[in-house]
Amino acid sequence: MPPLTNSTIYFGSFVVTSQVFYKTAYSFALVNIKPLLPGHVLVSPLRAAKRLSDLNHAEVTDLFMTVQEVGRMVERVYGASSLNIAIQDGPAAGQSVPHLHTHIIPRQNADLDEHGGGDAIYGMLEGDDGDVGKHLWERSNRRPKFPAVDDSSRKPRTEEEMAEEAQRLAREMTRQRL
């Protein structure tokens, strides 16, 4: 399956075209390089706005309609009973890529009991596990400004793995619209 667009799609300074599985007039959805739970995806505006308040009315509307539509699909495909939907709006809130993005994380009962319960997801988002920018930076073969943390239980995915998931989710988005 070819990419959804011939245009290059950026997430901050990172080219993510092959990770994109859904695109609208103002937004795109992409698979996550290092998902916290299976099905953890991101929705972002096409324009590299840093903060939610930087979006115009049409972009805000499109972003949240896209979050809703992608959330329905992710919940269905991953057999979830609930979703975490989160925006880390600025660096002080834990935003690691200076491009607004919404995390959609499918959830099931007791899925994080071994980590302290369902609210553990917030610590995961704010910690090294949720640092999307760091993982994209490392994948781009540049050295990070901070030491790498050993996280042997979760490895960043390859371009091929993410492209394969993006293609599968693109088919699911089409199926959902029928």
Side-chain angles (χ1 to χ4, degrees), residues 50-71:
K50 293 179 182 178
R51 305 280 312 276
L52 184 62
S53 60
D54 295 335
L55 299 183
N56 64 42
H57 183 267
E59 291 169 320
V60 169
T61 301
D62 187 78
L63 180 75
F64 282 99
M65 294 302 294
T66 302
V67 165
Q68 185 181 51
E69 191 168 357
V70 169

Side-chain angles (χ1 to χ4, degrees), residues 161-176:
E161 291 169 321
M162 291 186 294
E164 182 180 304
E165 183 181 18
Q167 290 172 6
R168 183 173 59 84
L169 295 179
R171 288 189 298 271
E172 290 295 335
M173 287 301 295
T174 301
R175 181 176 162 222
Q176 179 168 295

Side-chain angles (χ1 to χ4, degrees), residues 44-160:
S44 189
L46 284 167
R47 185 169 63 87
K50 293 179 182 178
R51 305 280 312 276
L52 184 62
S53 60
D54 295 335
L55 299 183
N56 64 42
H57 183 267
E59 291 169 320
V60 169
T61 301
D62 187 78
L63 180 75
F64 282 99
M65 294 302 294
T66 302
V67 165
Q68 185 181 51
E69 191 168 357
V70 169
R72 282 187 195 118
M73 180 275 296
V74 165
E75 202 166 358
R76 176 179 53 79
V77 169
Y78 289 91
S81 59
S82 300
L83 298 170
N84 277 108
I85 298 172
I87 295 176
Q88 295 163 302
D89 196 24
Q95 183 184 48
S96 60
V97 175
H99 188 153
L100 176 68
H101 55 284
T102 306
H103 295 262
I104 301 175
I105 307 169
R107 300 296 305 275
Q108 298 173 349
N109 287 334
D111 59 359
L112 291 176
D113 280 358
E114 71 278 2
H115 296 283
D119 284 348
I121 197 73
Y122 301 112
M124 294 166 76
L125 271 170
E126 291 178 5
D128 183 62
D129 288 346
D131 192 342
V132 176
K134 174 187 172 214
H135 303 301
L136 287 168
W137 183 271
E138 289 172 348
R139 186 189 70 199
S140 69
N141 295 320
R142 297 182 223 160
R143 294 192 136 256
K145 293 180 182 175
F146 39 83
V149 175
D150 181 27
D151 186 12
S152 58
S153 65
R154 288 180 45 252
K155 300 282 186 194
R157 300 186 299 169
T158 66
E159 277 288 330
E160 293 77 24

